[in-house]
Amino acid sequence: MPLTYPNLTLIPIPGAIPAWKGLIEPEQLLPVCLKVAEGGGRLVALWGSDERQNAGGFALQVALVTEAGLICLCVALEEAQPVYPNLSLIFPAALRMQRAAQDLLGIVATDSPDKRKWLRHGAWHGFPLRKDYAVAPIDEADAYPFVRVEGNGVHEIPVGPVHAGTIEPGHFRFSIVGERVLRLEERLGYTHKGIEKRFEQLSLQQGAKLAGRIAGDSSVAYAWAYAMAAESIAQLTPSAHSLWLRALLLERERIANHLGDLGYLGNDVAFTFGFSQFWILKEQLLRNNAAVFGHRYLMDLIIPGGVAVELSKSSILYDECTLLEKQVKLLRGIYEEHAGMQDRFIGAGLVAPKLAAQLGLCGMAGRASAQAWDARVQFACAPYDQLDVQMATHRNGDVAARVIVRFDELFESLRLQREILNHLTTGSTVPLLKLPGNGFGIGMVEGWRGEILVAIHTDREGNVARVHPHDPSWQNWPVLEHAVLDNIVPDFPLINKSFNLSYTGQDL
Amino acid sequence: MYPIIKQIIRTGIVTEAAPLADEAMRLQPQRLQEEILRLLGSALCIRHVDAGSCNGCELEIHSVNNAHYNIEGLGIKFVASPRHADMLLVTGPVSRHMATALRRTYDATPEPKLVVAIGDCSRDGGIFCAGGAENYAILGGVAEVIPVDVLVTGCPPTPTAILQGILTAISRQASFSP
Ligand code: SF4
C-alpha cells in the first residue's frame, strides 16, 4: 500500500505499473497531498471529468506518484458548485493544470493565486469537455494580463507566437534590464486542438492513432501509454513479443530525439559542425526506421493489445548500434573538448536540485538536476524488469548537465537496443477492440522528455468516455521561467533547447 | 581542431540530388512570371509557420536542413521574419488560437508570395477533425485562412516530398489543362 490515511481506501488498479485508486472527500484532498509530498511524492497529473450521466456532478482526478506507485485520487464535485481546494501551495505544478481544468470543464480551484485562463484564448466559448457542449466559436479580443515588472531601465520583449526558428508556437514575455532577464512569463495554448474531446468521438483503435499524434516527437511513448491504459481496463497482458518490440521502439524514439537535440545544441552555440554531424546520424536512424518498421517516426505501430508490426531485418539495427556508438563517442569527445562550447554550456540555465524538487521538475531535465526518477527504473514494467536500466543523473542542473545526461542516456539506449534485439522472439497480436464498462485505466511510460501518462475512463457500454493524456512539459515549462533568470537574452534559445519542451503536448 | 577537420573529411559530402517538381501537388495554377521564378529559384527565403501541428511535420522540416537534403545548397533558406520571406511553409490543422497569427504572418509577407501547406493536417485538419467532425478548437486546413499554392500530403510528409513541394511552387508550370 503506497499510503495510509484515515478513511481512505485505496484499491489496486490492474496493469503494467503499480497503481491504486481511491475516492476522497474534498476536505481530505489537501492533507493527503501534503502527506504524499512529505514522503517525497510528486503530482503527475490533474484533470476533471463530467460525471453527470453517471454518479452525478463532476469529478476531479489527481494522479500522484510515490516510491510505491501511482495513486489516483478522485474527488466528487457538486454539479451546482464544482469547486475544490487549490493544490498549488503543495505542488506548484498544479497551477496551470487547474487553470486548464477550469477552461475545459468549468471546475474551479478555490483560492487559486492565478485566476487567468490558460488553454482558452479568445476563440471559443463554454466548457468543451462537458458532455452537453455545443461548439461555440467566438472572436473576442484576447487580452492576457501579463505580470509587469516596473523599475528603472526595465523593458519588455514580446516573442511569438510565431517564432524565429522552425519551432512550435507560443508566447514568451521577457522583462529585461540591459541583456539580463529579470522575468520570463510564458503563455501557451496556441496549438490547442481539442484533443481530449476528439478522443471521445473515436473508437479505441482510432484513438491509438490520435494518441500517437499528441506530440509527434513522442509518438511511441504516447501510443504505448494509451495502450497500457486500455489494457489495464481490460486486464490484459500483451504477448512478451509485443512488449519487447514496444521497448525497442521507445528506445529508438529516445535515440532519435537525443541525436537531433544534441545537434541543435551545437547549432545554438554557432557550432554548425555539431548540427551537420548529429543530423546525418539521425537521418540514418530515421531511414532505418522506415526500412525496418515502415515509418520514420514509428507512428501507428503500437495498438491496444500489442503491436501492428513484425520485425524482419534486425541485422540493420545491430549495424546501426555499432555505427552510432562509434560516432557518438567521437562527437562527444569533440563537444567536451571544445572550450567555446563548454563556456556557453556551463552555468547557463541553472536549476539547482532544491528548486527542481520544489517545483517538481521531472524527466530528463529533472535527472540533470539530481531528481533521480525514471519510470523504467522505479516502475520497471515488462520488459524493462529484465533490462536493468542504468539511470543517468547529474547534480549541476545547467545546460552542460543536460547535455551530459542526454549523452549518457543515448549510450544507455543503444545498449538497451542491443539487449532487446537479443531477446526478440516472434509472436502475434490480438488487437483489443472493446473495453469493459465503467472502467478506469492508467498507463505511464518514460518518454525521452519524461513520464507520459494516459488515463482512460469508459462509460457503461465500454466506450471511451474520457481520455486524459499528460505530458511532462506541464511540470517543466514553469521551471524554464526560473532557469532563464539572470541569464542573458541571447542564451534563451540555448537554454530552451536544452529542455526542448513540448508545446502541442501541453496545449492538447 | 584536428579531430573536427578529420571528421569533416571522413564524412565527405552526403548530399543527394534534389527531387523534381511534381505538378500533382499544385492547388493553384502558377501565378508568378518566369523572370520572378528565375530569381526566386536561385535565392528563395522561407518563413515556417506552425499553425497547430503535432510537431511531426516540423521534425521533417528540420530534416530538409540536414546534410542529406541540404536545402541551403539549393539556394533556399529559412528566415526569421515573414518580412524577409518569399514563401510561407505552413504546417498543422489551423487551431482557432493560431488563425490570427497565421493571417498576420501572411499579411506581413511581401508580394509576390507563395504558400506551401505541409502535411495531411494542413489539407483538412487531418486526424483532428477527419470525417467532417466538428472540432471546437480547429478551423480546418490552411486554405480556410490563407490561399495555398501547393499542398504536400503525408503524415508527416518525407523530407523529399517537402523539398518537392517547395520546388514545385517555384517551378514554371509544365502544362496547365483546366
Ligand atoms: S500531418 Fe501528421 S505529422 Fe503533420 S501535424 Fe498532422 S498529425 Fe502531425
Side-chain angles (χ1 to χ4, degrees), chain A residues 213 299, chain B residues 53-57 92-93 118-122 127-128 154-157:
Chain A
R213 285 164 180 79
M299 285 177 173
Chain B
S53 93
C54 83
N55 197 32
C57 285
I118 301 291
D120 288 350
C121 290
S122 76
I127 188 163
F128 302 101
C155 181

Side-chain angles (χ1 to χ4, degrees), chain A residues 449-503:
Chain A
R449 238 184 225 109
E451 71 231 9
I452 278 169
L453 175 136
V454 174
I456 302 180
H457 305 246
T458 58
D459 66 10
R460 244 172 262 126
E461 284 80 44
N463 302 313
V464 172
R466 176 87 175 86
V467 175
H468 179 70
H470 178 88
D471 198 276
S473 304
W474 278 103
Q475 271 84 352
N476 292 2
W477 272 118
V479 185
L480 181 68
E481 293 184 342
H482 291 261
V484 297
L485 293 182
D486 262 342
N487 286 261
I488 56 171
V489 179
D491 270 347
F492 177 72
L494 174 68
I495 297 167
N496 192 21
K497 182 52 89 177
S498 72
F499 286 87
N500 196 2
L501 303 175
S502 178
Y503 299 70

Side-chain angles (χ1 to χ4, degrees), chain A residues 271 273 277 330 334, chain B residues 1-12:
Chain A
F271 189 48
F273 165 84
Q277 290 287 326
L330 196 147
I334 290 177
Chain B
M1 203 66 210
Y2 176 64
I4 299 176
I5 294 171
K6 198 167 134 195
Q7 178 69 5
I8 291 173
I9 293 170
R10 207 188 287 130
T11 308

Side-chain angles (χ1 to χ4, degrees), chain A residues 119 121 124 128 163-166 169 189-190 192-194 198 213 216-217 264 277 279 283 287 295-297 327, chain B residues 7 11 16 47-48 50 52-55 60 62 66 69 95-98 127-128 130 133 135-136 155 159:
Chain A
L119 289 186
H121 299 187
W124 37 269
H163 294 280
T166 302
Y190 287 93
H192 180 70
K193 291 185 272 297
R198 182 75 181 127
R213 285 164 180 79
D217 56 27
Y264 265 113
Q277 290 287 326
W279 279 73
E283 181 67 24
R287 287 183 182 189
H295 195 285
R296 281 164 61 94
Y297 295 93
Q327 294 290 317
Chain B
Q7 178 69 5
T11 308
E16 293 145 22
R47 175 64 252 174
H48 154 257
D50 175 341
S53 93
C54 83
N55 197 32
E60 291 298 42
H62 289 296
N66 77 28
Y69 306 99
S95 73
R96 288 192 190 274
H97 290 170
M98 273 305 288
I127 188 163
F128 302 101
N135 183 327
Y136 69 93
C155 181

